[in-house]
């Protein structure tokens, strides 16, 4: 909490905050550049394909996929449309509840993801995982969980 009369961040808080913001901007941009160059996929497209690949039957309701990908349903709908044009995904009515639509990873989409994954993993390892010790990775995970819990508690 900020003390009364102290509305500004301390020098240490400001330094940590600015470092985090730079990281939050530059790391995804670097990963996106690699994915665009090597696989012609955006960062979000890659993660949507990856989330689909992890679901039973490689299918999931669009609303659930939007939550997994941390994006709005309308944005996801446009993204899945682009993936459909490339033959990587399709949409079908949910057989359990016709009010919902499921996104489905096609065999071609799964194969494309498999071909894109090694380069992406190599970039994540190079820029992120290899830069940190095992203890630092565990600490970062705890910090991320702590901050995300606080964000979720305050944003609903």
């Amino acid at each position: 909490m900020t003390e009364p009369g102290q509305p500004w961040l301390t020098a240490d808080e400001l330094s940590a905050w600015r470092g985090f913001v730079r990281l939050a901007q530059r790391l995804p941009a670097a990963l996106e550049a690699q994915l665009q160059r090597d696989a012609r996929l955006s960062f979000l497209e890659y993660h949507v394909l990856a989330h689909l690949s992890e679901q039973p039957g490689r299918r999931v309701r669009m609303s659930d996929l939007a939550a997994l990908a941390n994006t709005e349903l309308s944005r996801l709908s446009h993204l899945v449309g682009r993936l459909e044009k490339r033959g990587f995904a399709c949409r079908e009515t949910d057989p359990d509840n016709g009010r919902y639509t499921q996104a489905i990873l096609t065999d071609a989409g799964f194969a494309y993801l498999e071909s894109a994954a090694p380069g992406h993993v190599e970039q994540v390892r190079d820029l992120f995982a290899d830069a940190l010790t095992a203890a630092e990775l565990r600490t970062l995970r705890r910090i991320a969980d702590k901050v995300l819990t606080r964000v979720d508690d305050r944003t609903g």
Side-chain angles (χ1 to χ4, degrees), residues 49-50 52-55 57-58 87-89 104-117:
L49 292 173
L52 281 170
S53 77
E54 296 165 354
Q55 302 306 309
R58 300 190 311 220
F88 297 163
I104 302 159
L105 180 64
T106 64
D107 290 343
F110 186 74
Y112 198 81
L113 177 65
E114 282 188 315
S115 71

Side-chain angles (χ1 to χ4, degrees), residues 134-149:
E136 288 169 331
L137 287 168
R138 287 189 299 275
T139 298
L140 182 57
R141 177 59 193 244
R142 284 192 304 273
I143 291 167
D145 288 347
K146 190 174 185 177
V147 172
L148 288 170
T149 296

